[in-house]
């Protein structure tokens, strides 16, 4: 959710509980709104200088403090998390206010600290980081004393000494302290050198002891060539060391308070109260570790007048952070976002390169990007629009680089790369020098580059049409082009009718076609299907008839082959037949198999139909999962659409559980509310849920939760079986275990863990004791251990 | 909300506004007559799970005539497409999306 919006919502309560005459009240609200507008506007583009605006605003606020102190302080506390991009503007403002009115400064600190304690308790770590950074920068404005900030940091660093806590907890506290040092390091160094050094020593010793098991799971590239993919804390430490070696001086942070040195110098400082980090508890979720994304260095920038700051320079840190923040704050407005990014007028830095690196860093972030992928795709289009002569050149270079580094790229990232590039090319008439990639034609089709080009062409096909793909590619690409997406109908009737009569299956299909065209009912179809003899061994009872299913599914879907809508309409009309045929697991497997046989050349159709049938409960999520790992699907196992389908099934399940959870809570709230009303002697609305209602819903939730767990267990079981078989086979035949296929499969297993880590986490015990035990192969076990280390 | 309004909407202006704010359906315009449902599906799935697509058809010829409705399961997904897909290209044409108060049979 947008921080700005959150902050507006907060404001609406602040007028509650005031008892004044209505007229007086409206007047007050007018002034309050005016004050708020003034505060929010300062630091934006203006004809006057920032300094004079700040000075003017400080004077206005000083004047209004007598009557509107609470409101002013509230607004100032809210901008801390609402406008982190203007942090130093607001610290300066608070500094100026404090210089004029010491009590007011004190109250501001008191309330901000109270807010900070609340958000720490609520585990809202992103907000907490902005607040701590604000407090730190207030040291520069002579509002907070350096020594009290250091004692706060000492408390934070002590978290590293706690026993039995996840590393992510101590990481967050250390990261937050390090993060503020570009702003406040110099003041701490000048005022409290000894204590500050001690703090740095403790941090360094903590960093030396950290486990790095999680790193491999979060790296975009497994190889450290040409760029090391570092853990964020390690990288930041190197950058801070660089800052230290420059006597804590940098030249990129905008510091408006420097212009007011004389006014701020004599102000009295406040001491921060003692802030103790709330202790760890089971439900506390700390931010996941991050690996720093690097794709460029200075040699990649052809323009010699600009120099890309080195990976471990403090400049790289500051610019990267500003760009990341811009993306985060403008994620709902791609046009504003692109314009703001391009406005960074730092001298002599290759801005376009840094912007593209930042966009890709977020797009490829593991386990999940901070925003939906399509935001980054559309942002890149806007950047090209605003810089048509320079941006596309950087993008082409970046694309070539990503392509050349595909061999060690994480599969999930390759998938995102395909998604982005197909969309991007479709916005530029699919113009690309495809010949440059003809090396893939000679490769093993499972080699990452070959796989990438094939999947890219498939996605381009989905966004256009087959003829266009054929025309845009060089002729030599024929072998790698996606097939024309046509149905492969099994029951084509030959022209000769007599011949048809000798083939019973064809007759069934033909008759079914006729009755469907004559608008028969689902019941008619069911009756008809009963006539089809079951080819399965008739000595035992069977839950399903594979021939009847195949005739029905192929015939119906072939009739609806014209478009998705036609197929959906066909499935909806004969919903009852699908329900009946798929009443057993085996039946559902047969349905899926018949669909696949018809549509194996039209992967988008398969994806869409299977999704639709899951959503309408004609197929269960576990049936879909089992089908994906089935013998028939092995030839498509590495294709991307298969994994789209699997993750869609997981998402469907997760959503269902979340929804039921929400409903149960709502019901309980309603009941409680009604009970309170009764106690207060008030009338109760109708429709108060009863204990029975709640119980019934909770039962539903229980079932959904066990289905959800079951789904994950099936998936993991299947993975383990398949991977173990591969390993055993390779060993018996004396072959290499680490084949291309094996790498794909392991990455897909890792993906299930990572993308759904918060759900999978609940099953840790079961997984550890029943599935990922010490006797399975270490290749597989490693994936599980890395996953556990994420929150470790 | 933008200025496009369905002229055939039955009900008051306020009712229409209310419906638009809760809608999960987008009106998509400026499509090529040759653009297929499949292409629209792929583009609009990038914002989230699409529930159905209704192609706008010519009254007499029953052929696509440059617009469609895209319905999502969730409002948030539809919002993604308003933010990020609106104004970008499909089949080399810039697609325009707008909120729609929900599709009623016969509007295509």
């Amino acid at each position: 959710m947008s921080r700005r919006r959150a902050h507006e919502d907060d404001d609406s309560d602040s007028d509650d509980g005031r008892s004044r005459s209505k007229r007086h009240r409206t007047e007050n609200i007018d002034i309050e709104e005016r004050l708020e507008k003034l505060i929010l506007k300062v630091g934006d583009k203006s004809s006057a200088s920032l300094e004079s605006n700040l000075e003017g605003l400080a004077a206005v606020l000083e004047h209004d403090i007598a009557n509107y102190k609470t409101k002013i302080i509230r607004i100032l506390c809210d901008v801390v998390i609402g406008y982190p991009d203007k942090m130093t503007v607001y610290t300066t403002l608070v500094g100026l206010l404090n210089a004029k009115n010491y009590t007011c400064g004190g109250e501001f600190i008191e309330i901000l600290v109270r807010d900070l304690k609340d958000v720490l308790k609520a585990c809202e770590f992103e907000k907490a980081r902005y607040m701590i950074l604000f407090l730190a920068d207030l040291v520069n404005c002579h509002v907070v004393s350096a020594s009290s900030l250091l004692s706060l940091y000492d408390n934070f660093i002590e978290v590293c000494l706690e026993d039995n806590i996840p590393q992510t907890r101590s990481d967050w506290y250390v990261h937050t302290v390090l993060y503020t040092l570009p702003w406040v390091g110099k003041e701490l160094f000048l005022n409290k050198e000894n204590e500050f050094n001690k703090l740095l020593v403790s941090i360094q010793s903590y960093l030396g002891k950290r486990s790095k098991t999680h790193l491999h799971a979060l790296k975009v590239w497994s190889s450290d060539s040409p760029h090391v993919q570092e853990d964020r804390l390690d990288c930041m430490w190197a950058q801070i060391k660089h800052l230290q070696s420059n006597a804590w001086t940098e030249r990129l942070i905008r510091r408006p308070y420097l212009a007011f040195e004389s006014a701020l110098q004599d102000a009295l400082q406040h001491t921060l109260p003692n802030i103790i980090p709330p202790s760890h508890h089971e439900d506390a979720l700390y931010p996941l570790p991050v690996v720093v994304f690097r794709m460029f260095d200075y040699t990649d920038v052809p323009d010699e007048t600009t120099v890309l700051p080195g990976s471990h320079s403090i400049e790289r840190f500051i610019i990267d952070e500003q760009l990341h923040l811009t993306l985060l704050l403008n994620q709902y407005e791609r046009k504003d976002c692109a314009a703001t990014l391009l406005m960074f007028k730092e001298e002599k830095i290759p801005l376009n390169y840094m912007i593209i690196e930042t966009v890709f860093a977020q797009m490829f972030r593991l386990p999940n990007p901070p925003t939906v992928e399509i935001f980054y795709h559309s942002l890149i289009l806007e950047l090209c629009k605003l810089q048509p002569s320079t941006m596309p050149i950087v993008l082409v270079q970046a694309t070539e680089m990503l392509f050349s580094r595909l061999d060690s790229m994480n599969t999930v990232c390759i998938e995102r790369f395909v998604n982005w590039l197909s969309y991007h090319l479709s916005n530029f008439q699919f113009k690309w020098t495809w010949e440059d990639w003809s090396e893939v034609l000679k490769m093993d089709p499972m080699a990452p580059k070959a796989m990438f080009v094939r999947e890219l062409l498939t996605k381009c096909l989905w966004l256009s049409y087959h003829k266009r793909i054929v025309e845009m590619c060089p002729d030599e690409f024929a072998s790698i082009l996606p097939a024309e997406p046509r149905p492969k109908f099994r029951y084509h009737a030959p022209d000769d009718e007599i011949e048809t009569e000798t083939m019973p299956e064809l007759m069934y299909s033909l008759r079914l076609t006729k009755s469907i065209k004559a608008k028969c009912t689902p019941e008619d179809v069911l009756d008809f299907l009963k006539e089809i003899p079951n080819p399965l061994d008739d000595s035992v009872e069977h839950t399903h008839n594979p021939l009847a299913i195949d005739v029905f599914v192929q015939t119906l879907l072939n009739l609806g082959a014209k478009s998705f809508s036609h197929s959906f309409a066909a499935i909806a009309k004969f919903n009852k037949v699908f329900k009946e045929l798929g009443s057993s697991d085996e039946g559902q497997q047969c349905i899926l198999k018949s669909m696949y046989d018809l549509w194996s050349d039209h992967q988008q159709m398969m994806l869409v139909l299977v999704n639709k049938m899951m959503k309408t409960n004609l197929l269960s999520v576990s049936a879909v999962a089992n089908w994906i790992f089935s013998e028939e699907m092995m030839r498509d196992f590495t294709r991307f659409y298969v994994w789209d389908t699997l993750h869609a099934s997981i998402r469907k399940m997760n959503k269902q559980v979340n929804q039921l959870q929400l409903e149960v809570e709502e019901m309980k709230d309603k009941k409680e509310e009604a009970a309170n009303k009764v106690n207060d002697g008030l009338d109760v609305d109708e429709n108060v849920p009863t204990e029975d209602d709640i119980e019934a819903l909770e039962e539903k939730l229980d079932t959904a939760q066990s289905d959800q767990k079951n789904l994950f267990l099936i998936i993991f079981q299947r993975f383990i079986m398949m991977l173990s078989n591969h390993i055993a086979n390779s060993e018996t035949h004396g072959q290499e275990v680490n084949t291309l296929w094996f790498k794909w499969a392991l990455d897909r297993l890792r993906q299930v863990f990572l993308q759904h880590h918060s759900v999978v986490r609940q099953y840790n015990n079961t997984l550890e004791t029943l599935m990922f035990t010490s006797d399975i192969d270490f290749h597989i076990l490693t994936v599980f251990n890395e996953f556990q280390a994420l929150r470790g | 909300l933008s200025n496009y309004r369905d002229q055939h909407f039955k009900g008051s202006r306020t009712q229409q506004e209310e419906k638009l704010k809760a809608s999960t359906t987008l009106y998509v315009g400026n499509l090529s007559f040759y653009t297929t449902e499949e292409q629209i599906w792929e583009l609009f799935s990038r914002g989230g799970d699409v529930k159905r697509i209704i192609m706008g058809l010519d009254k007499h010829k029953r052929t696509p005539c440059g617009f469609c409705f895209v319905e999502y399961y969730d409002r948030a997904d539809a919002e993604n497409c308003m933010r990020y897909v609106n104004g970008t290209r499909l089949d080399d044409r810039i697609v325009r999306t707008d909120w729609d108060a929900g599709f009623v049979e016969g509007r295509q």
Side-chain angles (χ1 to χ4, degrees), chain B:
Chain B
L1 293 176
S2 69
N3 294 322
Y4 161 80
R5 294 287 178 274
D6 175 20
Q7 299 300 319
H8 302 286
F9 186 80
K10 290 182 185 61
S12 75
R13 185 89 176 185
T14 356
Q15 277 174 323
Q16 191 175 9
E17 300 271 311
E18 286 298 305
K19 264 201 151 160
L20 288 178
K21 274 180 197 151
S23 170
T24 55
T25 304
L26 300 178
Y27 165 88
V28 182
N30 199 34
L31 297 168
S32 141
F33 288 4
Y34 299 102
T35 300
T36 62
E37 197 187 332
E38 279 81 347
Q39 287 169 272
I40 299 167
W41 195 279
E42 169 58 17
L43 179 62
F44 284 87
S45 292
R46 296 186 175 224
D49 269 352
V50 172
K51 190 169 177 183
R52 61 172 176 167
I53 289 172
I54 296 137
M55 298 295 286
L57 299 177
D58 183 281
K59 230 180 235 171
H60 307 291
K61 290 180 282 182
R62 308 296 293 161
T63 53
C65 63
F67 74 94
C68 73
F69 300 97
V70 178
E71 189 186 344
Y72 288 88
Y73 289 94
D74 294 322
R75 167 85 185 177
D77 295 345
E79 281 174 2
N80 282 339
C81 276
M82 277 297 283
R83 285 185 198 119
Y84 310 126
V85 177
N86 187 15
T88 69
R89 283 171 195 272
L90 180 62
D91 257 348
D92 304 328
R93 295 172 65 91
I94 292 179
V95 296
R96 302 276 169 221
T97 65
D98 238 304
W99 290 108
D100 189 84
F103 174 75
V104 197
E105 227 25 84
R107 277 186 57 201
Q108 66 265 59

Side-chain angles (χ1 to χ4, degrees), chain A residues 654-695:
Chain A
N654 294 350
K655 194 172 154 186
Q656 192 183 335
V657 169
N658 292 343
Q659 224 147 18
L660 283 168
Q661 246 155 4
L662 222 67
E663 278 172 38
V664 169
E665 274 162 37
E666 263 173 27
M667 240 191 207
K668 283 182 173 166
D669 287 350
K670 255 193 190 164
K671 188 163 173 277
E672 204 182 292
E673 197 184 316
N676 287 340
K677 274 188 178 171
V678 170
N679 283 341
D680 296 345
L682 294 169
D683 283 343
V684 179
D685 312 333
E686 280 167 58
N687 303 328
V688 176
T690 64
E691 199 57 50
D692 286 349
D693 292 339
I694 295 180
E695 241 170 64

